[in-house]
Amino acid sequence: MPGKSRGSMDLTLLITVLILLAIGVTMVFSASAVSSVKNYSDKYYYLKSQGLYAILGIAAMLFFSKVNYKFIGKLAFPIVIVSLILLIIIFIPGIGYGAKGALRWIKIGPVNLQPSEFAKSALIIFMAKSLSFKKERVKTFTQGVLPYVMLMGLYCILIILEPNKSMAINIAMITFLMMFAAGAKIWHLAIWGFPLIPGGIYMLTKDSYSLARLTSYMNPWADPLNTGYQAIQSLLALGSGGIFGLGLGNSRQKFFYIPEAQNDFIFSIIGEELGFIGAVTIMILFVLLVWRGIRIALAAQDSFGSLLATGITCMIALQVVLNIAVVTVSIPTTGVTLPLISSGGTSLLMVMSNIGILLNISKTIKANGS
Amino acid sequence: MAGVSVTIKKRILFVLISFFLMFFGLIGRLVFIQIINGDDYLKKAVDQWTKDIAIPSKRGIIYDRNGKKLAVSATAYIIYGRPAQIKDKATMAKILSEVLEMDEQTVLKKISDNKSNVLIKQKVDSEKVNQLREKLLENKLNGIEFVDDCKRFYPQANFASHLLGFTNNDNTGQDGVEASFDKYLNGFPGRNIVMTDGHGDELPGSDRKYFEPQDGLNLMLSIDEVIQHFAEKAIENAQIENKAKRAMAIVMDPKTGDILAMVAKSDYDNNEPRKAPAEVADKWATMKDKEQLDELYKVWRNPILSDSYEPGSTFKIITSAAGLEENVVKPDDKFFCSGFITVGGHRLKCWRSYRPHGSETFTQGVQNSCNPVFIEVGQRLGKEKFVKYIKAFGFGAPTNVSLPGEASGIVRDVSAVGPVELANIAFGQGITVTPIQLITAVSAVANGGYLMEPRIAKKLIDNDGNAVHEFEPRVVRQVVSKETSEVLRGILASVVSEGTGGGAMVPGFKVAGKTGTAQKAENGRYISGKYVASFVGFAPANDPKVAVLVVIDEPGGSSTFGGVIAAPVVGSIIGDTLRYLDVKPQYTEEEAKKFERPIVKVPEIRNMNYKEAVKELTKLKLQYRLDDDNNPAPESLVLDQTPKAGAEVNEGTVVILYAQSVAP
């Protein structure tokens, strides 16, 4: 059955991704060089690991571009089960670990696996598969909406327990985006606003720290050394970059003003070193990526492929938007990495694998399609 | 396989457009942050990256006139903490509190503060810093920063305290010459501008700007450390012996106006100016900040220039000088003291109204300190001339000595002087003066009539020993003629050799001077039992090398008379000083004979009656004389004597007796 009738994969998407990946590795190196020397006595520490993950990521992308996405669809249910198991075993003492008391990682040999990243992909695959079966029944509340919100709830509870609120919010957003894309009735979705939005607000404001973090984004200078610190440092980095930037490698904010500059706030360093021009270039590359992703979704041969492509694209787009919104202090600080750019193994492997799936779907598009 | 439904396609397109709009929104944010507000953020960022460290300049040394160090600067450190970098706060607090002698809880609170940098302690010496560095290394603790600073050190505690003053934590002079010469002593701090990382450490290879600090100039005072020592010791004893509230002395070279010594007790340790004063030490902890500060101000206050008092009889020198200069009185003019004089309907009493002086010359009047004589001299001068002389001698205006906080004293305007006021001022009441004004005026009488500006600083010296600036002696004006000065010197010498000032006699040197005992006034009324006893003198009388004023404020001992308690202090300071200055003693024939005679111990004759006392003295071949020339009743009690019991003197030495029934 796999594809004699198939076209070639979406080269624009492939090239866009590879450019972003290359920029990512470069910027991780630039942003991390200072702290690498201090913490590991090796300027290239993060370059090495990010480079390795980039190669592994390309391999994973190529691998998944060869695997028929329909085959993955068939495995949707077992994937969900595995993801739930991983999310649960994280709480077994000695298995899960993470920074500052949070349990976010599982160590498998030399590889760090982040179960919640895997869960996100598992949910997308499962929903795409399941929703594509439902057809018109998507428009019913009990079949088109309720089961997914329940599954989402299960994931979110497990992830909040880690705790990792940002990821839970992320997963909830993707769930609703996919139900929306699949054709669920708007008010079936909107009705969840009643319990979920106040619940979300409660989650974000229940303790003084969360509340302080929430309010600090409106005026970070009120508490410049504590809750407003990251926001201020990010603004100073972006602002001092100006239009043309200080030049690659010349960031000053990476000298411990922005903590772990190679992670969530890497976009600030990009803005500082490469300026407005560099920052916007990267955003345009992401726009290109999203556009190609959605194009694939629109041109896909079946609902499953279409919804899967939509889910994957939304996942990436959502992360990009949230990350840049945080970095530009447009929303309160939450821990979201910039896909393909920020350092981090699991996240990069998962994104690349998903892009591999996206590329595989793109092969089914007729040569003259769209 | 079914194709994708139109609904799905529409919805997906909607999602795509939504994302695009969000992207455009975020690009808008970037325009706002990077282009519109970019410069503003860049400025803030540069502020954050650069650290401007002040490098303290070395404060100049204060020397005495012979180059002895009175105040020096030593390297010290300011200790800062960076709470974010201090991992083990409890251990850190323990170490810091132990080494720096601070309260552990206070330290813990400081290093737990939500700030990037907290001040822990200033003025920490190198020894403690080394100790601290070792302990931090031992415990592998980070987050403590040492910044260079200076610490002022006064080698001799409680020495010329008011004169020297002290500095605050910023090395700025707060009092004394430290304050008045601050701009010379301080120098200019340098700066080191460096780029730092988020931990506050200097960035390697970043451009740094270094501005060398400019050291302060060294100050050479007119003070002579040795003479200051004489005065310190004499005044300390005088305060204790007389149970006085305060005692003070000022020693001046009358020819130049140089202040050779300046002491006021109680004083303080300049190294710890904020330590609780002894009188309030026990309740210090319970006092409010403001109350504590008030007490400290009291201790820091230099009464020699900040407090004015009624000079009493010492002011008669000024009345005399004016009278002699204006030729309204001559040394041999006859006066008659009937115990009082009526002025404007008021009976003004002589201090010895119980036993009037009777007929006397002007010279004897000065010796006797006879009030009616001076009242008459004042009347002969008239208020215009008298007030003119008072002002010419520098009263009622600051002397412009280079010390902070100088008061002017109160001198009535001519228009406010009536006959009674004129009479009062003539014998030193109804006018207030500061000790520095009085010694300066008396120096003018002593030096040939020239009012000098009191000089505290001789020169400014750079670190290579070159004089950058010399402060020359300055004549303010000539107040009286050389002749008047000479005549008055002779009269004042007779006050010591024959009159009420006998206590100031120094063998081998002719001392001139005048006693003063003034009742203190509060709220316009004289208070019984509170006196200011003083003596102002100079020597040698024919060619004065040194002038000394001693003021004993509220003496609480057996005597309150200036002649009894202040004159001997002046005598001792003058004697010590002249011998130290190698002034050749010139013994009179009488004195020379005296020194050949055997030495005897002066007996204790206080509380004996006059008759017994005379018998006792005659037995030991000592001469005696009363504080005045008249004979008291044989049964009157001897209240005091000079020299004191136990002093070793030659046979034939005159012992001065102060007999009872002497009312103020």
Side-chain angles (χ1 to χ4, degrees), chain A residues 201-220:
Chain A
I201 289 170
Y202 169 73
M203 286 299 299
L204 288 171
T205 58
K206 66 175 175 180
D207 53 75
S208 61
Y209 176 72
S210 306
L211 182 65
R213 206 164 64 157
L214 196 67
T215 52
S216 72
Y217 104 91
M218 293 184 237
N219 181 14

Side-chain angles (χ1 to χ4, degrees), chain A residues 180-181 183-184 221 233 238-240 242 252-253 255-257 271 276 294 298 300-302 306 310 328-330, chain B residues 1-2 4 8-9 11-14 16 20 23 29 31 33-34 38 41-42 48-49 116 195-199 203:
Chain A
F180 172 79
W221 269 275
Q233 295 307 331
L238 289 170
S240 53
R252 289 225 168 264
Q253 289 291 91
F255 283 87
F256 309 110
Y257 289 105
F276 176 75
I294 295 295
L298 291 171
Q301 294 297 298
D302 58 357
S306 180
T310 305
T328 55
V329 197
S330 311
Chain B
M1 233 180 239
V4 181
I8 293 180
K9 285 192 176 180
R11 292 265 175 108
I12 290 173
L13 216 53
F14 181 80
L16 177 72
F20 281 0
F23 274 106
R29 278 289 290 168
V31 171
I33 296 166
Q34 297 198 278
Y41 286 129
L42 179 62
Q48 163 172 287
W49 301 334
S116 60
M195 304 293 275
T196 60
D197 65 20
H199 295 160
L203 285 184

Side-chain angles (χ1 to χ4, degrees), chain A residues 6 13 66 70 81 161 193 200 204 208 212 220 249 262 264 281 308:
Chain A
R6 291 188 171 194
L13 177 61
K66 301 278 184 222
K70 286 173 187 159
I81 299 299
L161 287 175
L204 288 171
S208 61
Q262 71 277 7
D264 297 0
T281 303
L308 188 57

Side-chain angles (χ1 to χ4, degrees), chain B residues 307-340:
Chain B
D307 290 348
S308 60
Y309 69 109
E310 271 196 356
S313 302
T314 50
F315 196 72
K316 290 169 181 167
I317 298 174
I318 307 305
T319 313
S320 306
L324 290 167
E325 179 72 13
E326 284 296 314
N327 240 339
V328 299
V329 67
K330 288 192 171 55
D332 298 327
D333 281 4
K334 293 279 177 200
F335 289 84
F336 189 85
C337 169
S338 56
F340 66 89

Side-chain angles (χ1 to χ4, degrees), chain B residues 400-451:
Chain B
N400 292 327
V401 62
S402 299
L403 284 167
E406 196 184 358
S408 296
I410 300 164
V411 175
R412 283 172 189 272
D413 247 18
V414 181
S415 59
V417 176
V420 179
E421 286 79 15
L422 177 68
N424 277 333
I425 295 169
F427 61 91
Q429 283 189 0
I431 182 168
T432 68
V433 305
T434 61
I436 187 102
Q437 283 173 338
L438 188 62
I439 191 72
T440 311
V442 170
S443 289
V445 168
N447 70 13
Y450 300 96
L451 185 74

Side-chain angles (χ1 to χ4, degrees), chain B residues 200-476:
Chain B
D201 296 324
E202 191 180 339
L203 285 184
S206 67
D207 37 331
R208 66 191 294 182
K209 288 188 190 119
Y210 182 82
F211 302 96
E212 189 101 23
Q214 208 180 318
D215 284 350
L217 290 168
N218 304 310
L219 175 68
M220 180 174 272
L221 297 178
S222 61
I223 294 296
D224 187 312
E225 192 221 22
V226 177
I227 300 173
Q228 179 76 25
H229 263 298
F230 294 150
E232 294 266 350
K233 202 169 145 264
I235 287 301
E236 195 172 353
N237 289 339
Q239 191 199 13
I240 296 167
E241 269 175 30
N242 296 297
K243 302 186 183 76
K245 185 179 156 198
R246 287 185 304 192
M248 61 202 91
I250 176 160
V251 182
M252 187 177 266
D253 177 343
K255 292 198 179 106
T256 55
D258 276 7
I259 297 168
L260 300 174
M262 186 188 270
V263 194
K265 301 276 178 184
S266 307
D267 57 4
Y268 59 93
D269 179 354
N270 306 52
N271 292 308
E272 291 179 280
R274 287 172 191 279
K275 210 176 125 185
E279 312 88 78
V280 289
D282 45 337
K283 56 175 180 177
W284 190 249
T286 63
M287 289 167 80
K288 290 192 188 103
D289 285 359
K290 201 189 163 292
E291 292 171 337
Q292 290 187 346
L293 205 59
D294 285 345
E295 288 298 327
L296 289 175
Y297 279 138
K298 269 191 226 165
V299 174
W300 295 339
R301 191 178 175 87
N302 185 354
I304 288 171
L305 34 117
S306 300
D307 290 348
S308 60
Y309 69 109
E310 271 196 356
S313 302
T314 50
F315 196 72
K316 290 169 181 167
I317 298 174
I318 307 305
T319 313
S320 306
L324 290 167
E325 179 72 13
E326 284 296 314
N327 240 339
V328 299
V329 67
K330 288 192 171 55
D332 298 327
D333 281 4
K334 293 279 177 200
F335 289 84
F336 189 85
C337 169
S338 56
F340 66 89
I341 185 167
T342 307
V343 177
H346 292 266
R347 266 166 78 104
L348 300 177
K349 288 203 268 182
C350 179
W351 65 275
R352 219 181 66 179
S353 55
Y354 53 88
R355 193 151 49 76
H357 293 103
S359 175
E360 57 192 340
T361 63
F362 175 67
T363 303
Q364 286 169 326
V366 181
Q367 289 170 4
N368 293 333
S369 197
C370 177
N371 291 353
V373 171
F374 291 95
I375 293 170
E376 203 179 319
V377 173
Q379 287 168 339
R380 288 187 198 173
L381 276 164
K383 62 179 184 179
E384 280 83 8
K385 277 187 184 158
F386 191 25
V387 170
K388 191 189 89 186
Y389 274 95
I390 290 170
K391 291 195 170 160
F393 269 113
F395 296 103
T399 61
N400 292 327
V401 62
S402 299
L403 284 167
E406 196 184 358
S408 296
I410 300 164
V411 175
R412 283 172 189 272
D413 247 18
V414 181
S415 59
V417 176
V420 179
E421 286 79 15
L422 177 68
N424 277 333
I425 295 169
F427 61 91
Q429 283 189 0
I431 182 168
T432 68
V433 305
T434 61
I436 187 102
Q437 283 173 338
L438 188 62
I439 191 72
T440 311
V442 170
S443 289
V445 168
N447 70 13
Y450 300 96
L451 185 74
M452 303 301 294
E453 186 175 277
R455 186 166 72 142
I456 190 74
K458 277 178 82 85
K459 52 186 167 182
L460 296 166
I461 310 165
D462 66 16
N463 280 337
D464 304 322
N466 305 316
V468 177
H469 179 77
E470 305 220 13
F471 299 92
E472 299 296 337
R474 198 173 86 80
V475 179
V476 179

